[in-house]
Amino acid sequence: MAKLSPINKTDFPMWQGADAVPDAVYLDSAATAQKPQAVIDALVHYYTRQNANVHRGVYTLAEQATEAYENARQTVADFIHAEDTANIIFTRGTTESLNWIAQSWGGTHIQAGDEIIITIMEHHSNLVPWQQLALRTGAKLRYVDIDDQGLLDMPAYRAMLSARTKIVAVTQVSNVLGTINPIQEIGQLAHAAGAILVVDGAQSAPHMPVDVQALGADFFAFSGHKMLGPTGIGVLYGKMALLEAMPPIEFGGEMISKVEKFQTTWADIPWRFEGGTPNIAGAIGLAAAIRYLQAIGLDKIRDHERALTTYALDQLKAIPGLTIYGPQDAARRGGVIAFTLNGVHPHDLATVLDTQQVAVRAGHHCAQPLMQRLGVVATARASFYLYNGQADVDRLVAAVNEAKEFFQQ
Amino acid sequence: MNEDQLRLLYRQVILDHSQHPHHHGTLADGSHEKEMENPTCGDVITVQVKLSPDGQQIADIAFNGSGCTISQASASMMTDVVQGKTVQEARDAVYLFSQMITGKETTKEMDDVLGDASLLAGVRAFPARIKCATLAWKALDQALPGFPEKE
């Protein structure tokens, strides 16, 4: 087998320049991704050549800033195959997107006795908003369990659906197990029961082609920083009928059409949801990241990560005492591998790996109910992106073996 | 960060405390206790103390829970340090330990008061692990009477 080389690693300043650590192994892209020069350049260009507030000024510079911001919306709409730019709302990130759905749509459509279905593998950001909505309204929160492979228990999900089900919220790719969930099927079943489908795309949009219409998503949320973009920018996609039924969450400038002393009419969708000066640079940086990913091709990125995950699973499985969580087949999972090593706490493991310049996450990964389900307090987690290659996996495996030796001497 | 710092962090005494912790378990007749969680990893530790009848002295102490090498060793060392001490002396030790871990140097007073626990000074080079080291000490501080309750 030919060595799996990183894709375009030289485009990432993290590993370039005299003060860089060129052999640092970064395996925490599920937390946040490194940034290519193209994204950094787009931010610098905006701040140095386009900086003005949007949707306000009549001068040329403000027009240019507004155009760049709205072009970014078009880039995002095309990226996830949304119907229109009006379906794209810029947020701070996945967490804010999901909270807005729960507060605004949920807050006006959920009543006592309704049911909200989520899964045991959800990240806290697609769990706590629904839990709190249920507590506030008297709705019932129900969890779809996983099987021993870390796949959703679909028969249990089918049995759970009823006329009481109003919302089904599920992640497309688990940030711990890596499991790729059958969103289309989950959505068809939800719609047949009269429920809406909310998809957490934080771990999928950066790594594979996404078509929100083909998926049947009523809402879809993702973050810029996990897909080579800046922090503080994210996206909330919604179907128009649902966005029309959603009251604005934040009030202030830009989101209004007309303000009188005792009443206000809202701006059109999507602007009515974007109160105040938005993260203009963030949106422009995100669009640059999307163009960068598209130039490589999301299919190619997915294939690369799948091959790398297959290789990593094989290598890690060969280490005695190491347990891997989630599907054992890379076809059913994204480039995320959570694991534990017998007798070595994940924190101690991550510290030893760190001394070998290998960065992995250790902890509960913002998924405590899943940790309880798996019967562990914490795990280590390695996650891959386009800039990782086979050499990174080899370094990981060598460092894990070193840690094993260190603590078992 | 290098091998030497790693050896300093995981000295043999620390590994020994972690693998064979002192005062690990529960007290049947504890008078005060506090459960505390390390939010970064989810590890939970419970510190129990039994005060003397006059309420001035730590007559017995135990801790329970599982965690990483650093948190377990630190908890074990903490129990050795404060067993038999007065409440005020124990609080002073908690303060000294916190100063040592977050500061730049270990003073002679720290060495004298903290004993084995002063070996945890190596955690300084690993800021991400400071919470692991201080968990049991914070739990003790809050378990003891006179801890200021938040308004």
Side-chain angles (χ1 to χ4, degrees), chain B residues 6-82:
Chain B
L6 199 61
R7 298 278 161 202
L8 213 56
L9 178 67
Y10 293 112
R11 300 169 88 120
Q12 194 56 46
V13 183
I14 292 170
L15 294 176
D16 288 347
H17 268 281
S18 169
Q19 281 153 14
H20 308 285
H22 306 169
H23 305 102
H24 191 265
T26 52
L27 298 177
D29 53 351
S31 57
H32 296 75
E33 71 170 66
K34 177 71 188 178
E35 181 187 280
M36 220 168 189
E37 185 173 343
N38 183 348
T40 55
C41 64
D43 285 345
V44 177
I45 207 166
T46 302
V47 171
Q48 274 186 304
V49 292
K50 182 191 173 191
L51 294 185
S52 55
D54 65 0
Q56 298 298 308
Q57 207 171 11
I58 296 174
D60 210 351
I61 184 161
F63 80 97
N64 216 339
S66 63
C68 64
T69 300
I70 302 302
S71 76
Q72 293 293 292
S74 186
S76 170
M77 291 165 161
M78 177 276 287
T79 59
D80 284 352
V81 170
V82 304

Side-chain angles (χ1 to χ4, degrees), chain A residues 56-114:
Chain A
R56 284 170 178 77
V58 290
Y59 48 91
T60 307
L61 193 60
E63 276 304 316
Q64 287 170 348
T66 303
E67 195 184 339
Y69 180 66
E70 292 304 327
N71 282 347
R73 202 188 303 277
Q74 182 70 57
T75 302
V76 171
D78 294 343
F79 179 62
I80 58 170
H81 299 93
E83 296 89 333
D84 191 82
T85 50
N87 302 92
I88 304 298
I89 300 160
F90 285 120
T91 65
R92 277 196 298 129
T94 308
T95 299
E96 185 167 86
S97 300
L98 293 167
N99 272 278
W100 281 7
I101 305 165
Q103 280 173 37
S104 180
W105 196 89
T108 49
H109 292 79
I110 297 299
Q111 297 168 348
D114 290 344

Side-chain angles (χ1 to χ4, degrees), chain A residues 21-323:
Chain A
V21 183
D23 61 346
V25 176
Y26 186 73
L27 297 177
D28 199 18
S29 294
T32 198
Q34 299 301 333
K35 318 303 175 196
Q37 190 63 47
V39 168
I40 297 164
D41 287 347
L43 294 174
V44 172
H45 180 70
Y46 166 71
Y47 280 126
T48 55
R49 288 290 171 270
Q50 294 177 310
N51 185 59
N53 212 328
V54 293
H55 298 300
R56 284 170 178 77
V58 290
Y59 48 91
T60 307
L61 193 60
E63 276 304 316
Q64 287 170 348
T66 303
E67 195 184 339
Y69 180 66
E70 292 304 327
N71 282 347
R73 202 188 303 277
Q74 182 70 57
T75 302
V76 171
D78 294 343
F79 179 62
I80 58 170
H81 299 93
E83 296 89 333
D84 191 82
T85 50
N87 302 92
I88 304 298
I89 300 160
F90 285 120
T91 65
R92 277 196 298 129
T94 308
T95 299
E96 185 167 86
S97 300
L98 293 167
N99 272 278
W100 281 7
I101 305 165
Q103 280 173 37
S104 180
W105 196 89
T108 49
H109 292 79
I110 297 299
Q111 297 168 348
D114 290 344
E115 293 187 357
I116 301 164
I117 296 179
I118 65 173
T119 83
I120 195 65
M121 69 170 77
E122 297 310 313
H123 185 284
H124 293 164
S125 62
N126 197 31
L127 189 159
V128 184
W130 307 115
Q131 176 194 70
Q132 295 301 309
L133 176 64
L135 287 172
R136 249 190 342 266
T137 57
K140 185 174 177 188
L141 183 64
R142 305 188 67 173
Y143 285 86
V144 181
D145 198 10
I146 50 171
D147 64 16
D148 293 341
Q149 277 277 301
L151 301 172
L152 284 182
D153 183 348
M154 292 298 284
Y157 167 58
R158 278 193 198 88
M160 211 176 271
L161 287 161
S162 75
R164 292 183 299 277
T165 313
K166 292 293 182 292
I167 296 172
V168 175
V170 61
T171 189
Q172 189 170 8
V173 175
S174 163
N175 72 313
V176 177
L177 303 167
T179 312
I180 301 172
N181 288 317
I183 298 298
Q184 267 182 316
E185 186 186 353
I186 291 169
Q188 282 161 5
L189 291 163
H191 292 146
I196 66 160
L197 176 69
V198 178
V199 180
D200 174 354
Q203 299 293 344
S204 60
H207 301 283
M208 58 187 67
V210 166
D211 182 330
V212 288
Q213 296 188 74
L215 286 174
D218 294 300
F219 289 110
F220 188 91
F222 63 101
S223 299
H225 71 97
K226 292 190 201 291
M227 49 187 290
L228 314 181
T231 52
I233 187 76
V235 173
L236 166 56
Y237 158 86
K239 288 229 183 299
M240 191 43 68
L242 295 169
L243 293 177
E244 282 168 350
M246 252 173 80
I249 298 94
E250 287 177 335
F251 308 110
E254 208 193 341
M255 53 78 62
I256 53 91
S257 165
K258 185 180 184 193
V259 178
E260 297 166 78
K261 278 171 78 179
F262 299 103
Q263 60 181 359
T264 295
T265 49
W266 312 133
D268 288 339
I269 294 170
W271 302 287
R272 75 173 57 160
F273 298 107
E274 296 178 356
T277 297
N279 185 353
I280 306 164
I284 289 168
L286 172 57
I290 289 173
R291 285 193 299 273
Y292 183 88
L293 291 169
Q294 285 172 328
I296 296 166
L298 270 295
D299 279 316
K300 186 176 167 188
I301 292 169
R302 166 65 187 146
D303 288 347
H304 173 73
E305 290 176 16
R306 183 172 157 178
L308 201 53
T309 304
T310 301
Y311 178 72
L313 287 171
D314 285 345
Q315 297 296 306
L316 289 169
K317 268 183 216 163
I319 300 175
L322 190 139
T323 304

Side-chain angles (χ1 to χ4, degrees), chain A residues 262-386:
Chain A
F262 299 103
Q263 60 181 359
T264 295
T265 49
W266 312 133
D268 288 339
I269 294 170
W271 302 287
R272 75 173 57 160
F273 298 107
E274 296 178 356
T277 297
N279 185 353
I280 306 164
I284 289 168
L286 172 57
I290 289 173
R291 285 193 299 273
Y292 183 88
L293 291 169
Q294 285 172 328
I296 296 166
L298 270 295
D299 279 316
K300 186 176 167 188
I301 292 169
R302 166 65 187 146
D303 288 347
H304 173 73
E305 290 176 16
R306 183 172 157 178
L308 201 53
T309 304
T310 301
Y311 178 72
L313 287 171
D314 285 345
Q315 297 296 306
L316 289 169
K317 268 183 216 163
I319 300 175
L322 190 139
T323 304
I324 294 169
Y325 300 89
Q328 303 296 309
D329 174 8
R332 310 202 66 167
R333 68 188 295 158
V336 176
I337 303 177
F339 59 96
T340 53
L341 188 59
N342 263 354
V344 183
H345 190 282
H347 261 184
D348 294 320
L349 181 60
T351 292
V352 177
L353 265 51
D354 188 36
T355 63
Q356 309 290 313
Q357 310 277 13
V358 176
V360 299
R361 175 93 184 261
H364 53 60
H365 316 296
C366 300
Q368 288 183 326
L370 175 60
M371 293 288 117
Q372 284 155 21
R373 171 65 180 80
L374 297 174
V376 293
V377 170
T379 75
R381 180 188 72 184
S383 52
F384 310 125
Y385 212 171
L386 68 163

